[in-house]
Amino acid sequence: MKSEREIDASPARGEALLRRLRLRHLHLLAILGSGITLRAAALQLHVTEPAASKMIREIEAACGTTLFERSPRGIRANPAAAALIARARGIVSEVAAAGVEQSAIARGAAVRLRIGAPPFIAAGPVARAVAELKREMPAVLVVLLEGGAPSVLDALAERRVDCAVCGVDPGFAHAGALKELRIERLYPDRLCVIAAHDHPLSSRRRLAWRDLASARWVLPGNHSPVRRALVDTYLSLGLHPPQPQIEAGPANVVAGFVRADPNLVGLVRVDGARAELRRGGMQLLDVRPAVALAPISVLYREQASVAGEALARLVTKLQAAAAAAPRVMRARHDQRWRTRGVS
């Protein structure tokens, strides 16, 4: 059997895989991709462990290469298997989606559209775009997957959603999948520092990041792109990054702590700041220089189907919703930050 570096990449190899691999093989690979043992995978497939082992051998024979390293502790996927597992997960997700779509059609819905977005975006531009889409295509069933940018981008790479609306972090694990996607930029994003109206720094017309080095912060976790951007900003200025008094991610939770304690400041994205300014009891500190984050974009694969038409219309609606969104700005007659067009 060939090694993983000697895989035949010819069209004939692809045709051989189509003839020899079955959906149950792909299902097994998708399950193993979640990191569970072969025994646990066999239980999920309702087969014995020897039967699952035989399926692994059949997959390797079809591919003409070794995919898994064997040891007394079990099997471990090599890079060739990892690449095949990523494809298998996408195919299995598409088949599962087809089943749900058929059920939706049987209930009277014409098509299902799956959208992945972080909560702060889902509640803003996505909600407005979906409302407009439903007016034009009322039979579309919209399914929302909420999560952070990494999780919704993973879902898009694995075809568990039809589009993702988020910022693309440079550390995106499936960066190679971006070449298969259309990316439409919707609006810029940046770090926003929120505080209660009676915070000690609320009367300052303009602040530098140095002024907030010793502030009492509410910050997202270390792996958040927002937190990393703040850390990078302080390091670039030759300053120690601030340590949080409280760690919290969602903007409404950050704002809740800031409202409860006027000595706290919180770090959020533009959409989160906009929503909390609208709710009141909050202001945005004018901190310079501005720190940009990855722009919010919609990422998707073009589809030649009714679902593709719904997706194309959704993208147009998202662009319109982004263009119409109020800009966070400073009102000149007031020392407090307000939101243009928001009552």
Side-chain angles (χ1 to χ4, degrees):
M1 187 175 292
K2 297 178 181 179
S3 71
E4 61 186 85
R5 295 184 179 180
E6 298 175 313
I7 298 175
D8 185 355
S10 67
R13 171 59 62 192
E15 293 174 5
L17 288 178
L18 286 174
R19 289 194 303 270
R20 300 180 65 178
L21 286 185
R22 299 291 181 262
L23 188 57
R24 64 193 182 107
H25 292 130
L26 300 178
H27 194 188
L28 174 60
L29 288 170
I31 292 172
L32 289 172
S34 64
I36 66 175
T37 65
L38 184 61
R39 176 178 296 180
L43 288 173
Q44 286 195 34
L45 285 176
H46 305 290
V47 300
T48 64
E49 188 173 357
S53 295
K54 181 182 177 183
M55 290 168 64
I56 292 291
R57 293 194 296 273
E58 291 170 349
I59 295 168
E60 290 180 324
C63 293
T65 185
T66 300
L67 298 173
F68 294 89
E69 298 173 6
R70 277 79 168 175
S71 74
R73 300 179 61 182
I75 62 172
R76 186 166 64 90
N78 64 27
L84 188 59
I85 284 170
R87 296 285 186 181
R89 293 179 75 171
I91 294 168
V92 171
S93 293
E94 287 291 304
V95 173
V100 175
E101 189 172 68
Q102 290 301 309
S103 297
I105 291 172
R107 296 195 306 269
V111 69
R112 186 179 69 140
L113 189 59
R114 303 165 298 167
I115 306 169
F120 64 91
I121 297 177
V126 170
R128 293 191 292 272
V130 168
E132 290 295 322
L133 176 67
K134 292 288 286 184
R135 291 188 184 97
E136 295 181 5
M137 303 181 72
V140 172
L141 172 64
V142 175
V143 179
L144 178 67
L145 171 67
E146 286 186 279
S151 64
V152 299
L153 288 170
D154 285 346
L156 180 63
E158 296 168 6
R159 298 178 182 269
R160 290 184 283 116
V161 295
D162 300 300
C163 68
V165 187
C166 59
V168 182
D169 183 47
F172 176 41
H174 297 279
L178 291 177
K179 62 186 178 183
E180 304 174 2
L181 304 173
R182 289 286 302 272
I183 305 175
E184 305 285 352
R185 185 177 182 275
L186 296 177
Y187 55 91
D189 198 6
R190 63 182 175 86
L191 294 184
C192 293
V193 182
I194 56 175
H197 290 317
D198 51 351
H199 187 277
L201 295 175
S202 63
S203 61
R204 295 278 294 273
R205 187 172 184 84
R206 183 171 295 179
L207 296 164
W209 292 103
R210 184 183 302 272
D211 299 323
L212 293 167
S214 59
R216 300 181 66 222
W217 284 91
V218 183
L219 297 175
N222 283 321
H223 299 295
S224 162
V226 172
R227 176 77 170 272
R228 290 203 301 269
L230 181 73
V231 170
D232 290 345
T233 298
Y234 273 90
L235 291 176
S236 69
L237 296 172
L239 301 171
H240 290 292
Q243 296 301 308
Q245 296 289 314
I246 300 169
E247 280 197 0
N252 62 323
V253 178
V254 173
F257 283 115
V258 170
R259 287 190 180 94
D261 184 346
N263 292 309
L264 293 172
V265 296
L267 191 69
V268 296
R269 293 174 176 268
V270 163
D271 280 296
R274 182 182 295 126
E276 294 309 317
L277 289 174
R278 187 182 294 116
R279 291 180 63 188
M282 189 69 54
Q283 68 183 71
L284 192 65
L285 300 180
D286 185 7
V287 187
R288 305 295 177 90
V291 178
L293 298 170
I296 303 301
S297 304
V298 54
L299 300 88
Y300 62 99
R301 294 180 181 83
E302 291 184 308
Q303 303 176 27
S305 63
V306 177
E309 179 186 352
L311 180 56
R313 292 196 190 190
L314 176 71
V315 171
T316 300
K317 304 302 180 188
L318 284 167
Q319 292 169 330
R327 292 186 297 114
V328 177
M329 60 168 289
R330 180 185 276 289
R332 292 185 180 276
H333 65 278
D334 193 319
Q335 290 298 316
R336 295 176 181 173
W337 286 75
R338 301 186 184 276
T339 305
R340 175 177 293 172
V342 177
S343 56

